[in-house]
Amino acid sequence: MPNDNSTLLPSVRSFLSSPRQMLIDGEWVDAKDGRTFATVNPSTEEVLVDVAQGSAFDVDRAVAAARAAFEEPSPWSRMTPRERSHLLWRIGDLIEAHADEFAQLEALDNGKRVTAARDGDVAVAAELFRYFAGWATKMEGTTIPMSVPGRAFHAYTRREPVGVVAAIVPWNFPLLMACFKIVPAITAGNTVVLKPAEQTPLSALRLGELLLEAGLPAGVVNVVPGYGDTGAALVEHPGVDKVAFTGSTEVGKKIAAAASGNLKKVSLELGGKAPNIVFADADLDAAVAGAVLGGYFNEGQCCVNGSRLYVQRAVFEQVVEGVAAAARAIKVGDGFDASSDMGPLVSQEQHEKVLSYIRGAVDQGAVLNAGSADAARERGYFVTPTLITSVTEAMAVQTDEIFGPVVTAVPFDTEDEVVAAANNTVYGLAAGVWSRDLGTAHRVGARLRAGTVWLNTWHADDVTLPRGGFKQSGWGRELGSFGLDDYTELKTVIAELR
Ligand code: ADP
C-alpha cells in the first residue's frame, strides 16, 4: 500500500482485497495446483496481494481455450471486421473510464508515478485500441496479374490471422506492453494467451476483467500469470502458433530457440543501449533536457532510453554539468507522492543489479557527476539518478543494458569517431542526434544502426509509428501500419477463369 492508504480508490482496494485468479476461457480460476506468488509494492517493499501462478497444466488449458476460441465455428471466428472494430473501440473507452484505477494499480505494482502511469501508459493503451480499431476493417489484400499464355487467372492475396498467440511481456510498462501484443493480435482475428511479468501482474488481470465486460468472447484473451517457467511452457507448447515477446535479449534468445519445435512465428522486442549524440552546434538547452528525459524516463527502465551520451568535446563540460544539475534536482520518492519526480525501481533484484553496476564503474575509476552507488532510501528500491564520466567503452556500465537511472557521458571529436562508438554495441533499438545542421543530423541518423532514430528530440512517439530493433534488439516491428504484419499470414489465391 502507499504510505497513505486512504488515497486508494475503493475499486483498487477491493481489487487487492483477495487473491487474484487467472483468466482462462472467460472464467477466473485458481492454478490447478493451487500455487500463488506475492506481488510487492517497490516503494514500501510490502506485499500487495497474492496472484495465481500458472503451471504447464494451466498453460495447456489456456492454449486449448484460445484454440477453441480461434477455430470455426466459434463466435470470434464469425465476428465481422466491423464488429471487431467496434469492440476494440469499446475496450479503449473502458480503459479510459478506468484510467485512475489503472494508474493506481500500475503505481502500486511497478512503482512508477501515478500521474506518469495515467498520462502515459494508460492513455496510450486506450489510444492503441482506438488506432487499431480502424485497421480491423482495412486488412486488405492485393490483386496480382499473372502471365500464362492462352489461360486466364484471377490471383489475389488475403491477410489471415496466424492463430493462437503467446504474448510474454515485461514489467516496465505492464499494461501498455500487454496491449502492444493483445491489440494487434485481436485486431487481426487471433486469440491470445498473455503472460504478464511476475513483478507486475495486476493491471493485466484488471484488463482481463474489462475485456470480458466489453464483450470479448470467452477464450479470445486468456491471462496466465507466473514466472519464466510459465512463459517457457507457453513457448514450448505445440498448440501455440506465434510468440510475441518483449524483454531481455538473453531471454529472447532462449525463446527463439524454444519456439523452433513447431516453428512458431516469433517477434521479439529486446534490449537496448541507445547512443545519444550531441554535436557542438546543437541547441544545448534542448539537448540537455532531451538527455535528461532520454536517460531517466520511467526510472531509466525503458529499452529505448538514451543511456550512452556522446558529447562533442567543445561542449562536453557544459552538457555534463547541465545533465548532472538536472539529475541532482530530480526528487526520488513514492509514486503516490505528487511531489516525486521519480519512483523506485521495480524490484529488489533490479535495485541490487543497478547499484552494483554503479559500484563497479566507480571501482574501475569512473567518476559520478551525479548520483550514488548507495540506495537512495532505507526502504523501497530507490536509486538516485546517476551520471557517470571517465568511462571506457569496455566497462560494463558502457556495454550492458542496465535498466536503471544511469547515464554515461563520453566526449568525442569527429563524426566518424562517434558513429563508430555509437554503433559499437550488440543492440540496435534506438539512437539520437542533436545538431542544428540538418545535413549532420540526417546523415548521422542514417549511419546509426537502430530501429528508431530521434533527431533533436527524444521519446517523441505515436501509436502510428513502427518500432523495433536492428541487430540483437529484436525481430519484427510493432505498431503503425506495419504492426499487423507479424500477426497475419499472407495467403495467395489463384483461380483459373474457365
Ligand atoms: P527482465 O530482465 O526485464 O525482467 P526478462 O526477459 O527476464 O526481462 O522477462 C520478460 C518476460 O519474460 C517476463 O514475463 C518473464 O517472466 C518472461 N520469461 C523469463 N524467462 C523466460 C523463458 N525462459 N521463457 C519464456 N518467458 C520467460
Side-chain angles (χ1 to χ4, degrees), residues 168-171 195-199 227-228 231-232 235 245-248 251 254-255:
I168 301 174
V169 297
W171 43 259
K195 199 211 68 76
E198 55 270 34
Q199 298 85 350
Y227 289 81
V235 178
F245 173 76
T246 296
S248 62
V251 172
K254 284 189 199 162
I255 285 177

Side-chain angles (χ1 to χ4, degrees), residues 15-16 20 39 48-51 102 105-106 108-109 174 196-197 199-207:
F15 190 76
L16 298 176
R20 303 315 313 174
T39 186
L48 289 163
V49 67
D50 288 333
V51 175
F102 273 115
L105 282 177
E106 220 64 321
L108 288 172
D109 215 8
Q199 298 85 350
T200 55
L202 298 182
S203 54
L205 293 170
R206 183 68 186 105
L207 176 67

Side-chain angles (χ1 to χ4, degrees), residues 94 189 268 367 444 460 466 470:
L94 269 176
L268 304 169
V367 172
V444 175
F470 284 27

Side-chain angles (χ1 to χ4, degrees), residues 48-104:
L48 289 163
V49 67
D50 288 333
V51 175
Q53 182 177 342
S55 65
F57 180 88
D58 302 304
V59 162
D60 198 44
R61 278 177 62 204
V63 171
R67 173 61 57 196
F70 178 73
E71 299 290 351
E72 291 178 29
S74 69
W76 181 241
S77 67
R78 293 185 167 191
M79 211 177 255
T80 65
R82 188 198 290 162
E83 286 170 329
R84 283 208 306 276
S85 172
H86 290 189
L87 182 55
L88 286 160
W89 196 277
R90 211 154 51 233
I91 300 167
D93 283 349
L94 269 176
I95 291 177
E96 195 172 82
H98 292 270
D100 289 329
E101 192 184 329
F102 273 115
Q104 289 201 348

Side-chain angles (χ1 to χ4, degrees), residues 167-172 195-200 225-236 243 245-255 258 269-270 346-347 349-350 353 401 403:
I168 301 174
V169 297
W171 43 259
N172 55 346
K195 199 211 68 76
E198 55 270 34
Q199 298 85 350
T200 55
Y227 289 81
D229 59 325
T230 312
L234 261 176
V235 178
E236 282 157 18
V243 181
F245 173 76
T246 296
S248 62
T249 292
E250 184 193 350
V251 172
K253 287 179 184 176
K254 284 189 199 162
I255 285 177
E269 220 260 56
L270 306 177
V346 73
S347 65
E349 184 189 355
Q350 197 60 20
K353 180 181 148 195
E401 182 178 48
F403 239 54

